[in-house]
Amino acid sequence: AYIYLGSKKLGGGSTTSGQEGFIVDRNFIVAALSRYAIENMGDSSYYRSKYNTEMLYVDHSNHRVLIRDKATNLEEYLHYDLLVGADGVRSTVREAMVKKHFDFELKVCDIFQNFKAVHIERPESVSPSSISILPASLPHFNGICLPETGNLINLSFGFSRNNWSKVADDIKSDDPTIVAKYFKQNFKAFKLTDEGYADLAEQWTQQRWNRTGMVHCNMYHSLQCKIVLLGDAAHATSPSIGMGMNTALRDAQKFNELLDRFDDDLEKVLPQYSTERVPEGNALTDIALNLYCFDTGTGTRTMISSLVRSGLHYFFPKLVSAGPNEILARPEFTLAEVYQAGCEQGILTKHREINERIRLQTFEKETGMVKEIEKPKPIGFMLAAAVAGVAIVRMCLK
């Protein structure tokens, strides 16, 4: 991964593990999995594809699910031995765990960010095979850049909702010319061609501001319900660090490894899966939310201190540890280890405290719990006004 602090490019290079990394569009992964299932299991009596089907309800007591065909509206129950909940942030499978387990902790919320994403031609200075993280890449915005096929990049920018009034009117404009000019003047990480700025601005103005959700769970399985949660159903996250799909694929890989290790004994596999994946999933969501700060000033100071740390680590690697941004996408580090580094260096703990306060204050205002009132004038000013008033009255009486 690379990180751009202003126009300065940090990170990249080979990993110490010797593993090769790839950046792949998630749609290609989904298509490949579907194709593999059809080609390798299509003739099996154990395989039935149910595309264009909606899951309505999980009858966890009888280990069956109620589904509806979207084309015919016909409903039927399907029995299961194991139900894999990979059905996203609004998971129907996960609801069964909420109903069954009083000790199941679940939090679903939005990422407190508005964002837009564009797909444009890759500039020569941008890596064709690595993630590029773009903190404070525009005033009040953080960004991320992902390479795609066809020499394109997916360029996403988002800002915290409390900063809506501070975001420049030019970037909110529906006029592509104004937006292109704004990016050309304010985006410093890497330069685009005139055609690149124009393409970016055209796509930017043709879409609304997007929002998405986050999920936190304290366990990813239920032996009684015979359920296991993977991907967004377990740990939907902000796209700010580009690690959501990676973590979902790692869930599947780890679950498969555990099935092999315990000879498909779900009594052993499911608890061990939660033990190994819950720390990673919750580390993912916390890092994605709190690596950046909703307060622009604090975020800028963190960016400067990260730049200093990066330089010191380069010259004195045994004395100064790398920052969480630098080790985030390196396969030799788990997300839990990145999280621990961010906490030990005070970044995540400081940002979390500020972000939670700002989020609560915004919620209070949006829901009308707290109404904005005119601030009282300073006591000193009031005393001075009173003294002046008395003096004027005395002059009039004379």
Side-chain angles (χ1 to χ4, degrees):
Y2 291 94
I3 178 172
Y4 286 80
L5 298 179
S7 59
K8 186 173 181 60
K9 184 178 181 180
L10 306 173
S14 60
T15 66
T16 57
S17 68
Q19 297 184 38
E20 188 175 5
F22 298 92
I23 303 296
V24 183
D25 188 306
R26 62 186 301 160
N27 293 317
F28 288 103
I29 296 291
V30 173
L33 291 172
S34 177
R35 187 166 55 249
Y36 178 88
I38 294 172
E39 292 175 354
N40 293 273
M41 297 180 286
D43 297 330
S44 171
S45 60
Y46 295 102
Y47 178 77
R48 292 171 61 192
S49 62
K50 289 287 184 180
Y51 293 105
N52 298 314
T53 302
E54 179 183 12
M55 181 182 294
L56 303 177
Y57 170 69
V58 177
D59 179 5
H60 58 81
S61 298
N62 295 301
H63 300 152
R64 61 180 186 168
V65 296
L66 178 63
I67 64 172
R68 176 192 293 151
D69 188 297
K70 291 183 178 180
T72 64
N73 282 329
L74 293 178
E75 298 179 2
E76 65 173 317
Y77 276 103
L78 298 176
H79 289 268
Y80 65 84
D81 297 313
L82 174 67
L83 182 58
V84 178
D87 51 338
V89 63
R90 306 295 173 187
S91 171
T92 301
V93 175
R94 195 180 58 224
E95 290 177 9
M97 294 178 60
V98 174
K99 295 174 182 176
K100 178 64 177 177
H101 299 281
F102 72 91
D103 57 342
F104 178 53
E105 297 180 14
L106 167 67
K107 181 180 179 181
V108 181
C109 58
D110 86 322
I111 63 172
F112 202 68
Q113 297 272 329
N114 289 346
F115 67 93
K116 291 187 179 185
V118 297
H119 306 266
I120 61 174
E121 185 174 350
R122 181 183 64 86
E124 289 187 8
S125 61
V126 175
S127 170
S129 59
S130 297
I131 297 172
S132 296
I133 300 172
L134 310 168
S137 49
L138 291 169
H140 306 292
F141 280 80
N142 292 307
I144 186 169
C145 174
L146 300 172
E148 296 183 327
T149 57
N151 200 38
L152 299 176
I153 55 172
N154 180 338
L155 196 56
S156 300
F157 297 93
F159 64 92
S160 56
R161 294 201 337 251
N162 61 300
N163 285 327
W164 173 256
S165 61
K166 300 176 184 177
V167 172
D169 290 336
D170 286 357
I171 203 169
K172 301 175 186 176
S173 174
D174 294 329
D175 186 338
T177 304
I178 294 175
V179 172
K181 181 179 179 181
Y182 181 84
F183 269 92
K184 184 178 292 188
Q185 293 176 342
N186 293 277
F187 182 59
K188 305 297 183 183
F190 44 81
K191 293 185 179 298
L192 307 179
T193 63
D194 288 341
E195 293 78 9
Y197 287 115
D199 188 17
L200 182 157
E202 188 65 34
Q203 294 182 47
W204 188 273
T205 55
Q206 294 299 313
Q207 60 181 293
R208 61 175 175 80
W209 292 103
N210 299 301
R211 289 167 64 172
T212 188
M214 296 186 67
V215 172
H216 302 266
C217 303
N218 68 329
M219 57 183 177
Y220 293 163
H221 81 282
S222 168
L223 283 172
Q224 295 93 324
C225 300
K226 294 188 182 299
I227 284 174
V228 63
L229 302 178
L230 282 76
D232 283 357
H235 45 67
T237 188
S238 164
S240 62
I241 59 173
M243 295 291 289
M245 184 79 176
N246 287 7
T247 310
L249 291 173
R250 182 61 172 150
D251 289 344
Q253 179 190 32
K254 178 57 64 175
F255 187 65
N256 184 64
E257 290 175 356
L258 292 174
L259 287 171
D260 290 340
R261 186 196 306 177
F262 296 111
D263 296 323
D264 297 339
D265 185 348
L266 294 181
E267 296 288 328
K268 296 178 180 179
V269 170
L270 296 185
Q272 186 63 29
Y273 173 78
S274 279
T275 297
E276 297 191 19
R277 296 310 295 163
V278 167
E280 288 294 280
N282 283 281
L284 167 73
T285 53
D286 196 278
I287 294 168
L289 183 66
N290 295 312
L291 191 57
Y292 304 115
C293 189
F294 298 161
D295 178 74
T296 304
T298 302
T300 301
R301 289 190 290 274
T302 299
M303 182 180 68
I304 294 172
S305 65
S306 296
L307 181 60
V308 173
R309 173 177 287 275
S310 176
L312 291 174
H313 174 69
Y314 179 81
F315 289 106
F316 310 105
K318 294 183 178 180
L319 298 178
V320 181
S321 58
N325 258 325
E326 291 189 73
I327 64 176
L328 180 59
R330 287 161 57 179
E332 62 266 35
F333 291 94
T334 67
L335 289 169
E337 289 171 335
V338 177
Y339 173 83
Q340 184 170 345
C343 290
E344 290 176 346
Q345 294 171 22
I347 297 172
L348 294 179
T349 48
K350 176 176 63 177
H351 288 184
R352 188 185 304 113
E353 180 182 356
I354 295 172
N355 290 351
E356 288 180 354
R357 171 175 52 80
I358 290 175
R359 189 171 193 138
L360 176 59
Q361 290 172 343
T362 303
F363 180 81
E364 290 172 339
K365 293 177 182 178
E366 290 179 345
T367 58
M369 294 171 64
V370 175
K371 300 185 183 300
E372 293 190 45
I373 58 176
E374 185 178 351
K375 293 182 180 180
K377 296 178 180 179
I379 297 297
F381 175 81
M382 295 173 65
L383 289 174
V387 171
V390 171
I392 292 174
V393 170
R394 286 182 175 178
M395 290 176 61
C396 293
L397 291 177
K398 289 180 179 179

